[in-house]
Structure formats: C-alpha cells, structure tokens
Amino acid sequence: GFYVVTSEPVVFNVNGNLTFSSNASYFVAQRYDAASVASKAYTISNPGYGKVTVNGGNYTITYENNVGLFGVSNVGDGSDKAELYINGGIYSIAKGNAIELYAGALTVENSTFNVNGDYYVVYNKSTQQVTIKNCNFTSNGSVIWLSSSNANLSISGGTYTSETGYVIFTSNGSKTNINGGTFISKSGGRVVSVYDNASLTIDGNAEFRLPNNSASEDRVISVSAGATLT
C-alpha cells in the first residue's frame, strides 16, 4: 500500500488497476509527530489537522479477514478536523467495511463501491459531516450506518443497493438529508431505518424500492423511537 508521514495534506492520484491480497496498510497518511496506531491502520492515522484526497483508480481487495480500504481514527489531538475526500474510482472489498469513520469529515463523489459479506460501504461514528454525491454503492449487507450523536449525512444522486439489509440505518440523534438518488433493498425489510431520535429529511426526487414480493410488514422507511421524517 501507500504510507506517508507528513504534516501536510496528502493527495493520491491513481491511474489503472490495483489489487491488494494481504492484511496491509492500503492508504495511510500519518501526522509526522504522531505515534502509530497499532491495532489497525487507518487512512488518516492520528490525524491532527490532516486531509487526504484520493483521485481515481480501480481497487480490488481479495484478502478475506475484515479488511477495509479507508478509515479515519479518533486517536490524537484535533482528530475532528481530519478530512477524507474520495473523488472517483471503483473499489471492491472482499470482506470488511469499505470506509470506517471514527472522526473527521468525509466526502465521496462519483465513486463506485462494492462490498461482499455483511459489511458496510460507510460505517460512521464521527460527529462531522458526511457528504455523498452521485455514487454507486452496493453491499451484501447494509450500505450506510450512521449512529454518532449529532452526526450529519447528506446524499444527493446516485444508486445505493443492499442485498440483505438496510440501505441506510441512522440513529442516536444523527441527521440525514436525501436530495435525489435511488435506494434499493433487494431482500425486503426496510430500505431506510430512522431510529432513536434521529431525523430524515427528503428533498428532491428520491426513489426507494423494495422487491415485488415484499411481505406485508416490510417498510420503505421505518421511523421509530423518537425519530422524525420530513
């Protein structure tokens, strides 16, 4: 993978195909004065005020041991100021969450993510802004999980497909805004679940789909436990 130690913003410009077949650090940008994170290598490790940008490329991870591709750790001063920006590219992950966000902000634009197994494309526990624009996300499990108090998720355009779970699960007072896009649950159940004082606002022309043979208890959008829908 790529490992950079710096106090400056980092940009990865990738053309062509990359295949990772071992439990390694794929993209790591670490603050120059920070100790390494022994438990797991994140894209932004001990982030401080770091920003990492990834432009383009075709990535395949074949290692099957809960290994994702991108992440922001919450270890280190100023971790809430970290930024991860993914612009374009195709990302295929055999087993593991594609993006794990424990701190900082995330923007993903014009990108395709395919996740096998019961894992998320975006697993978010950060309180900062998550913005997704015109992407194509597919997961064998649920697609987006958002549960940090006061977290904010904004989605505009794109197609988001779950084979066996939710497309979006949001809880714990987090806020989600959907402005267009197509959201598909192939297994029924729920397309979007808004739970535990979370809120969902839908603007623009968004489409939510359940399979034609859905059971009567299936719901396109489920709102419960003090959550709101507008």
Side-chain angles (χ1 to χ4, degrees), residues 8 20 25 34 49 52-53 65 80 82 91 118 136 163 179 190 220:
E8 302 297 327
F20 301 106
S25 305
Y49 299 94
V52 171
T53 299
N65 190 21
D80 59 326
Y91 308 88
D118 189 13
N136 188 347
E163 296 289 340
N179 189 355
R190 307 287 187 271
V220 172

PDB file of all heavy atoms in Angstrom, residues 8 20 25 34 49 52-53 65 80 82 91 118 136 163 179 190 220:
ATOM      1  N   GLU A   8       1.505  17.781   6.182  1.00  0.00           N
ATOM      2  CA  GLU A   8       0.807  18.496   5.114  1.00  0.00           C
ATOM      3  C   GLU A   8      -0.330  17.639   4.551  1.00  0.00           C
ATOM      4  O   GLU A   8      -0.359  16.420   4.724  1.00  0.00           O
ATOM      5  CB  GLU A   8       1.793  18.826   3.990  1.00  0.00           C
ATOM      6  CG  GLU A   8       2.979  19.661   4.435  1.00  0.00           C
ATOM      7  CD  GLU A   8       2.563  21.027   4.953  1.00  0.00           C
ATOM      8  OE1 GLU A   8       1.561  21.564   4.416  1.00  0.00           O
ATOM      9  OE2 GLU A   8       3.200  21.533   5.879  1.00  0.00           O
ATOM     10  N   PHE A  20      -4.944  -5.735  -3.875  1.00  0.00           N
ATOM     11  CA  PHE A  20      -4.307  -5.978  -2.575  1.00  0.00           C
ATOM     12  C   PHE A  20      -4.769  -7.343  -2.075  1.00  0.00           C
ATOM     13  O   PHE A  20      -5.962  -7.601  -1.978  1.00  0.00           O
ATOM     14  CB  PHE A  20      -4.703  -4.905  -1.562  1.00  0.00           C
ATOM     15  CG  PHE A  20      -4.335  -3.509  -1.983  1.00  0.00           C
ATOM     16  CD1 PHE A  20      -5.309  -2.619  -2.418  1.00  0.00           C
ATOM     17  CD2 PHE A  20      -3.022  -3.082  -1.942  1.00  0.00           C
ATOM     18  CE1 PHE A  20      -4.976  -1.332  -2.800  1.00  0.00           C
ATOM     19  CE2 PHE A  20      -2.682  -1.794  -2.316  1.00  0.00           C
ATOM     20  CZ  PHE A  20      -3.657  -0.920  -2.749  1.00  0.00           C
ATOM     21  N   SER A  25      -1.516  -2.115   5.143  1.00  0.00           N
ATOM     22  CA  SER A  25      -1.978  -0.733   5.172  1.00  0.00           C
ATOM     23  C   SER A  25      -2.119  -0.280   3.728  1.00  0.00           C
ATOM     24  O   SER A  25      -1.139  -0.216   3.004  1.00  0.00           O
ATOM     25  CB  SER A  25      -0.966   0.143   5.904  1.00  0.00           C
ATOM     26  OG  SER A  25      -0.702  -0.372   7.182  1.00  0.00           O
ATOM     27  N   ALA A  34       3.104  11.957  15.297  1.00  0.00           N
ATOM     28  CA  ALA A  34       2.155  11.088  15.976  1.00  0.00           C
ATOM     29  C   ALA A  34       2.668   9.655  16.038  1.00  0.00           C
ATOM     30  O   ALA A  34       3.336   9.171  15.133  1.00  0.00           O
ATOM     31  CB  ALA A  34       0.814  11.107  15.246  1.00  0.00           C
ATOM     32  N   TYR A  49      -4.741  17.732  11.956  1.00  0.00           N
ATOM     33  CA  TYR A  49      -5.491  18.563  11.017  1.00  0.00           C
ATOM     34  C   TYR A  49      -5.306  18.074   9.584  1.00  0.00           C
ATOM     35  O   TYR A  49      -5.360  18.833   8.634  1.00  0.00           O
ATOM     36  CB  TYR A  49      -5.058  20.025  11.152  1.00  0.00           C
ATOM     37  CG  TYR A  49      -5.323  20.573  12.542  1.00  0.00           C
ATOM     38  CD1 TYR A  49      -4.337  20.558  13.509  1.00  0.00           C
ATOM     39  CD2 TYR A  49      -6.576  21.042  12.876  1.00  0.00           C
ATOM     40  CE1 TYR A  49      -4.591  21.033  14.788  1.00  0.00           C
ATOM     41  CE2 TYR A  49      -6.847  21.510  14.153  1.00  0.00           C
ATOM     42  CZ  TYR A  49      -5.843  21.511  15.107  1.00  0.00           C
ATOM     43  OH  TYR A  49      -6.111  21.955  16.365  1.00  0.00           O
ATOM     44  N   VAL A  52      -6.733  13.984   3.472  1.00  0.00           N
ATOM     45  CA  VAL A  52      -6.300  13.018   2.473  1.00  0.00           C
ATOM     46  C   VAL A  52      -7.299  13.023   1.326  1.00  0.00           C
ATOM     47  O   VAL A  52      -8.508  12.923   1.535  1.00  0.00           O
ATOM     48  CB  VAL A  52      -6.192  11.603   3.069  1.00  0.00           C
ATOM     49  CG1 VAL A  52      -5.961  10.574   1.971  1.00  0.00           C
ATOM     50  CG2 VAL A  52      -5.056  11.546   4.085  1.00  0.00           C
ATOM     51  N   THR A  53      -6.784  13.147   0.102  1.00  0.00           N
ATOM     52  CA  THR A  53      -7.598  13.109  -1.108  1.00  0.00           C
ATOM     53  C   THR A  53      -7.168  11.915  -1.952  1.00  0.00           C
ATOM     54  O   THR A  53      -5.974  11.709  -2.175  1.00  0.00           O
ATOM     55  CB  THR A  53      -7.429  14.394  -1.929  1.00  0.00           C
ATOM     56  OG1 THR A  53      -7.846  15.516  -1.142  1.00  0.00           O
ATOM     57  CG2 THR A  53      -8.266  14.348  -3.199  1.00  0.00           C
ATOM     58  N   ASN A  65     -10.356 -11.023   5.639  1.00  0.00           N
ATOM     59  CA  ASN A  65     -10.214 -11.025   7.098  1.00  0.00           C
ATOM     60  C   ASN A  65     -10.574  -9.655   7.656  1.00  0.00           C
ATOM     61  O   ASN A  65      -9.784  -9.013   8.337  1.00  0.00           O
ATOM     62  CB  ASN A  65      -8.795 -11.423   7.504  1.00  0.00           C
ATOM     63  CG  ASN A  65      -8.673 -11.676   8.997  1.00  0.00           C
ATOM     64  OD1 ASN A  65      -9.667 -11.931   9.673  1.00  0.00           O
ATOM     65  ND2 ASN A  65      -7.463 -11.579   9.518  1.00  0.00           N
ATOM     66  N   ASP A  80     -11.006  15.602  15.089  1.00  0.00           N
ATOM     67  CA  ASP A  80     -12.263  16.052  14.499  1.00  0.00           C
ATOM     68  C   ASP A  80     -12.044  16.968  13.307  1.00  0.00           C
ATOM     69  O   ASP A  80     -12.965  17.253  12.549  1.00  0.00           O
ATOM     70  CB  ASP A  80     -13.121  16.755  15.551  1.00  0.00           C
ATOM     71  CG  ASP A  80     -12.432  17.967  16.156  1.00  0.00           C
ATOM     72  OD1 ASP A  80     -11.198  17.937  16.304  1.00  0.00           O
ATOM     73  OD2 ASP A  80     -13.129  18.948  16.473  1.00  0.00           O
ATOM     74  N   ALA A  82      -9.902  16.249  10.856  1.00  0.00           N
ATOM     75  CA  ALA A  82      -9.445  15.445   9.728  1.00  0.00           C
ATOM     76  C   ALA A  82     -10.478  15.456   8.602  1.00  0.00           C
ATOM     77  O   ALA A  82     -11.673  15.596   8.839  1.00  0.00           O
ATOM     78  CB  ALA A  82      -9.191  14.016  10.182  1.00  0.00           C
ATOM     79  N   TYR A  91     -14.045   0.523  -6.274  1.00  0.00           N
ATOM     80  CA  TYR A  91     -13.461  -0.107  -5.091  1.00  0.00           C
ATOM     81  C   TYR A  91     -14.238  -1.373  -4.767  1.00  0.00           C
ATOM     82  O   TYR A  91     -15.449  -1.321  -4.537  1.00  0.00           O
ATOM     83  CB  TYR A  91     -13.520   0.860  -3.903  1.00  0.00           C
ATOM     84  CG  TYR A  91     -12.943   2.223  -4.210  1.00  0.00           C
ATOM     85  CD1 TYR A  91     -13.751   3.227  -4.765  1.00  0.00           C
ATOM     86  CD2 TYR A  91     -11.605   2.516  -3.974  1.00  0.00           C
ATOM     87  CE1 TYR A  91     -13.228   4.475  -5.071  1.00  0.00           C
ATOM     88  CE2 TYR A  91     -11.080   3.773  -4.262  1.00  0.00           C
ATOM     89  CZ  TYR A  91     -11.898   4.739  -4.816  1.00  0.00           C
ATOM     90  OH  TYR A  91     -11.381   5.972  -5.107  1.00  0.00           O
ATOM     91  N   ASP A 118     -21.373  -9.333   5.101  1.00  0.00           N
ATOM     92  CA  ASP A 118     -22.292  -8.485   5.868  1.00  0.00           C
ATOM     93  C   ASP A 118     -21.522  -7.295   6.440  1.00  0.00           C
ATOM     94  O   ASP A 118     -21.299  -7.188   7.647  1.00  0.00           O
ATOM     95  CB  ASP A 118     -22.932  -9.304   6.979  1.00  0.00           C
ATOM     96  CG  ASP A 118     -24.061  -8.549   7.669  1.00  0.00           C
ATOM     97  OD1 ASP A 118     -24.498  -7.513   7.134  1.00  0.00           O
ATOM     98  OD2 ASP A 118     -24.491  -8.986   8.754  1.00  0.00           O
ATOM     99  N   ASN A 136     -22.277   5.031  -6.640  1.00  0.00           N
ATOM    100  CA  ASN A 136     -22.923   3.743  -6.803  1.00  0.00           C
ATOM    101  C   ASN A 136     -22.384   2.812  -5.711  1.00  0.00           C
ATOM    102  O   ASN A 136     -21.248   2.350  -5.799  1.00  0.00           O
ATOM    103  CB  ASN A 136     -22.634   3.172  -8.194  1.00  0.00           C
ATOM    104  CG  ASN A 136     -23.432   1.913  -8.491  1.00  0.00           C
ATOM    105  OD1 ASN A 136     -24.025   1.313  -7.600  1.00  0.00           O
ATOM    106  ND2 ASN A 136     -23.433   1.507  -9.751  1.00  0.00           N
ATOM    107  N   GLU A 163     -28.202  -5.965  -0.591  1.00  0.00           N
ATOM    108  CA  GLU A 163     -28.681  -7.292  -0.948  1.00  0.00           C
ATOM    109  C   GLU A 163     -29.488  -7.925   0.179  1.00  0.00           C
ATOM    110  O   GLU A 163     -30.470  -8.617  -0.069  1.00  0.00           O
ATOM    111  CB  GLU A 163     -27.492  -8.194  -1.301  1.00  0.00           C
ATOM    112  CG  GLU A 163     -26.711  -7.754  -2.534  1.00  0.00           C
ATOM    113  CD  GLU A 163     -27.476  -7.980  -3.820  1.00  0.00           C
ATOM    114  OE1 GLU A 163     -28.423  -8.787  -3.829  1.00  0.00           O
ATOM    115  OE2 GLU A 163     -27.115  -7.343  -4.831  1.00  0.00           O
ATOM    116  N   ASN A 179     -31.312  14.185  -1.114  1.00  0.00           N
ATOM    117  CA  ASN A 179     -31.750  15.045  -2.209  1.00  0.00           C
ATOM    118  C   ASN A 179     -31.521  14.301  -3.520  1.00  0.00           C
ATOM    119  O   ASN A 179     -30.509  14.441  -4.175  1.00  0.00           O
ATOM    120  CB  ASN A 179     -30.981  16.367  -2.195  1.00  0.00           C
ATOM    121  CG  ASN A 179     -31.563  17.370  -3.174  1.00  0.00           C
ATOM    122  OD1 ASN A 179     -32.471  17.045  -3.928  1.00  0.00           O
ATOM    123  ND2 ASN A 179     -31.036  18.576  -3.164  1.00  0.00           N
ATOM    124  N   ARG A 190     -36.516  -3.232   5.348  1.00  0.00           N
ATOM    125  CA  ARG A 190     -36.519  -1.774   5.366  1.00  0.00           C
ATOM    126  C   ARG A 190     -35.503  -1.261   4.343  1.00  0.00           C
ATOM    127  O   ARG A 190     -34.400  -1.779   4.246  1.00  0.00           O
ATOM    128  CB  ARG A 190     -36.125  -1.224   6.739  1.00  0.00           C
ATOM    129  CG  ARG A 190     -36.934  -1.776   7.916  1.00  0.00           C
ATOM    130  CD  ARG A 190     -38.351  -1.217   7.945  1.00  0.00           C
ATOM    131  NE  ARG A 190     -39.060  -1.607   9.150  1.00  0.00           N
ATOM    132  CZ  ARG A 190     -39.780  -2.719   9.257  1.00  0.00           C
ATOM    133  NH1 ARG A 190     -39.868  -3.553   8.232  1.00  0.00           N
ATOM    134  NH2 ARG A 190     -40.420  -3.013  10.385  1.00  0.00           N
ATOM    135  N   VAL A 220     -40.770   0.759   3.377  1.00  0.00           N
ATOM    136  CA  VAL A 220     -39.774   1.530   2.639  1.00  0.00           C
ATOM    137  C   VAL A 220     -38.946   2.348   3.619  1.00  0.00           C
ATOM    138  O   VAL A 220     -37.713   2.323   3.599  1.00  0.00           O
ATOM    139  CB  VAL A 220     -40.450   2.441   1.596  1.00  0.00           C
ATOM    140  CG1 VAL A 220     -39.425   3.376   0.962  1.00  0.00           C
ATOM    141  CG2 VAL A 220     -41.115   1.600   0.522  1.00  0.00           C
TER     142      VAL A 220
END
